[in-house]
Amino acid sequence: MVRHRPAARWPDARLPAGRRPDAGENRLHLDLGAPDLDAEVERLTGVGASVVEPRRMGDFRWVTMADPDGNEFCVAEH
């Protein structure tokens, strides 16, 4: 796990434990955290990622995204 430092340029990264992948599922799923979710999603789409689905659970927001090769990852507001 990489912890976010307030002055750091990159977001917090977590490598969650997962089950064995199914066919077509990523072997590794990254969960990234950023203090400004909207700005981070905009930055990531600007460098080639695409939005798969914005999500919300109560006050907690995150966006499932995909890199240009289709590998999914999530960005959450923290």
Side-chain angles (χ1 to χ4, degrees), residues 43-66:
R43 185 188 76 76
L44 290 166
T45 55
V47 295
S50 58
V51 173
V52 173
E53 184 176 2
R55 299 171 186 249
R56 177 182 293 273
M57 185 180 297
D59 291 338
F60 181 67
R61 295 188 318 135
W62 73 98
V63 178
T64 301
M65 302 186 76

Side-chain angles (χ1 to χ4, degrees), residues 63-74:
V63 178
T64 301
M65 302 186 76
D67 70 14
D69 293 326
N71 300 300
E72 291 186 0
F73 60 96
C74 291

Side-chain angles (χ1 to χ4, degrees), residues 10-31:
W10 304 108
D12 192 17
R14 290 175 178 32
L15 303 175
R19 62 187 196 288
R20 253 183 52 204
D22 299 326
E25 187 176 319
N26 297 340
R27 222 176 222 316
L28 176 68
H29 177 91
L30 295 176
D31 288 334

